[in-house]
């Protein structure tokens, strides 16, 4: 197994080397290109967090007015380590690119480790599941959102599940995983908590002792709740709009082969019934996985049914996650079958519900791999073929990621002129601020994010930031700001008629 894990890591590192340029993986200040979209938000948040003084709660970013790093998707698990190492890091460094490389190395390793939890120790099956896991389209296509690329955490969750239902004494690791997953992203934490809850459910359905497992799952939930309380996650609010159901899993998403090398020729986009593009619900399982599922159902249907019965708790967890992903607005292809109306407010914390299908796809791949590996040489050969087909099928998705990572968008502002001004300032004020900019004013919001990215190279206290959540909804106070004189040491920049000007 050790050899398999090493080879899986080499495979992942090779993929990362091909996918990501060096200056993407190891960024610094003074570059000739700018980050864009959510990746820019993540980079800005990490830079300001690393440069800010330690405060309490530790995730609060002092130079962003106390914004919690988690609300800007700054990957606290990584950012805390980088902040501790800040004196050793180059100017303007952030770890977003490094995170992408880590997830590409760790995903195949953790998938092989998860399969070993089913008792598999042979090299070929472990390598096959490693390659197939790193070729899951839903994993590859999350590249616009760094934290949510952390699917290796879900594979760890599946690996702990298998070990725990088999009586393994790995509860400390399984519980700590819940806290670590929260510090990557709350969506992933909910998914892993569901996998942990599947342990006592499976044992109960097997009529095996389950109370200890239930206490272990409760401890995992308590740890997550404790971290949320101590680190300031609680009380977060969004933009006040009702979005749950808008970014749901379409019922056709798992079989909709957008960006499939084999079948994607006639599919130009994600399937969508809600009018929001279908991006968050993208969950094509891959041609290799579908071939494996079909082969098992035709060749060993009894083994499939036996596996489902033996892991009933995991089946229930996957069913619950699937229902959460489908949401209250159920779409089939372009048609909205029915709408159950507004969901309870709790659901609005997870409005991008289509994501919750990711553990279901991973569990399906793991189950297929385990069952095929148990069917003798023919089964192992079929598993290897499945992995190869899955890898080929994901080629367009990998190419899209490669192109995205390699796209170096030039600065649209005069970065060379503004950098010395930003570095010399004691604090920076941007007008209009984010809460004063209309959601439909995309040009101004993009300009604000670009200026935030440039300012974050030499972080100074700044008056505004783009965040997904806030402890208190930000108010528009630009009128009051404009009515005051520029303070000594303040650099005030106003975006007017498509250009930034310095207010003296």
């Amino acid at each position: 197994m050790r050899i398999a894990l090493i080879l899986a890591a080499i495979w992942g590192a090779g993929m990362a080397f091909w996918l990501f340029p060096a200056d993407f993986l190891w960024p610094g200040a003074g570059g000739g290109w700018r980050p864009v979209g959510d990746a820019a938000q993540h980079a800005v948040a990490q830079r300001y967090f690393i440069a800010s003084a330690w405060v309490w709660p530790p995730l609060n970013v002092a130079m962003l007015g106390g914004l919690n790093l988690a609300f800007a998707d700054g990957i606290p698990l990584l950012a805390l380590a980088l902040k501790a190492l800040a004196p050793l890091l180059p100017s303007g460094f952030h770890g977003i690119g490094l995170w992408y490389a880590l997830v590409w190395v760790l995903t195949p390793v953790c998938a092989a480790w998860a399969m070993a939890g089913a008792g598999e120790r042979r090299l070929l099956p472990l390598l096959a599941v490693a390659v197939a896991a790193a070729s899951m389209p839903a994993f590859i296509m999350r590249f616009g959102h760094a934290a949510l690329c952390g699917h290796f955490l879900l594979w760890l969750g599946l690996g702990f599940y298998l070990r725990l239902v088999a009586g393994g004494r790995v509860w400390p690791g399984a519980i700590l995983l819940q806290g670590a997953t929260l510090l990557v992203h709350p969506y992933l934490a909910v998914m892993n908590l569901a996998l942990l809850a599947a342990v006592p459910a499976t044992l109960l359905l097997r009529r095996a002792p389950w109370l200890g497992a239930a206490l272990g799952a409760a401890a995992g939930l308590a740890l997550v709740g404790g971290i949320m309380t101590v680190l300031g996650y609680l009380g977060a609010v969004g933009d006040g709009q009702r979005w749950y159901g808008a970014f749901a899993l379409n019922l056709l998403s798992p079989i909709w082969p957008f960006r499939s090398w084999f079948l994607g020729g006639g599919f130009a986009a994600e399937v969508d019934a809600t009018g929001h593009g279908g991006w968050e619900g993208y969950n094509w399982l891959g041609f290799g996985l579908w071939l494996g599922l079909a082969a098992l159902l035709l060749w060993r249907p009894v083994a499939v049914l036996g596996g489902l019965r033996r892991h009933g708790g995991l089946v229930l967890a996957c069913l619950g996650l699937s229902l959460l992903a489908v949401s209250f607005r159920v779409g089939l292809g372009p048609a909205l079958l029915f709408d159950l109306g507004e969901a309870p407010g709790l659901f609005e914390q997870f409005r991008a519900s289509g994501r919750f299908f990711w553990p279901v796809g991973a569990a399906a791949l793991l189950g297929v791999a385990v069952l095929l590996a148990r069917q003798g040489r023919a089964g192992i050969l079929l598993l290897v073929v499945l992995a190869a087909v899955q890898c080929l099928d994901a080629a367009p998705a990998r190419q899209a990621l490669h192109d995205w990572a390699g796209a170096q968008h030039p600065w649209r502002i005069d970065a060379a002129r503004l950098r010395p001004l930003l570095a010399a300032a004691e604090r920076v004020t941007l007008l209009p601020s984010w809460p004063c900019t209309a959601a439909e004013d995309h040009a101004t919001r993009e300009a604000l994010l670009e200026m935030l990215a440039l300012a974050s190279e030499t972080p100074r206290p700044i008056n505004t930031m783009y965040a997904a959540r806030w402890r208190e909804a930000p108010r528009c106070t630009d009128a009051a700001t404009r009515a005051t004189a520029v303070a000594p040491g303040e650099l005030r920049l106003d975006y007017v008629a498509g250009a930034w000007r310095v207010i003296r």
Side-chain angles (χ1 to χ4, degrees), residues 131-170:
V131 170
S135 303
M136 289 292 284
F139 159 62
I140 300 171
M141 292 301 294
R142 290 316 307 174
F143 56 75
H145 197 299
L148 289 171
C149 290
H151 288 211
F152 71 91
L153 295 162
L154 304 179
W155 286 101
L156 287 175
L158 288 167
F160 276 117
Y161 163 83
L162 289 173
R163 287 164 172 81
L164 290 169
V165 297
R169 298 182 179 181
V170 292

Side-chain angles (χ1 to χ4, degrees), residues 147-148 150 153-154 157-158 174-175 177-199 217 220-221 223-225 228 233-234 244 313-314 316-325 346-360 469:
L148 289 171
L153 295 162
L154 304 179
L158 288 167
I175 292 169
L177 175 65
Q178 310 310 309
T181 305
L182 174 66
L183 292 175
V184 173
H185 202 282
Y187 274 87
L188 296 173
V190 172
M191 299 176 205
N192 257 346
L193 282 170
L195 297 178
L196 190 65
V199 176
L221 178 61
L223 177 62
V224 169
M228 293 180 70
Y233 281 74
L234 300 179
Y244 182 72
L314 182 59
L316 289 175
C318 288
L319 178 60
L321 289 169
S322 298
L323 291 174
L324 185 59
L346 175 64
F347 287 85
E348 289 302 323
Q349 294 291 341
F350 303 102
R351 57 195 183 188
S353 63
R355 301 168 179 172
F356 286 107
F357 194 74
W358 299 341
V360 183
R469 297 284 189 277

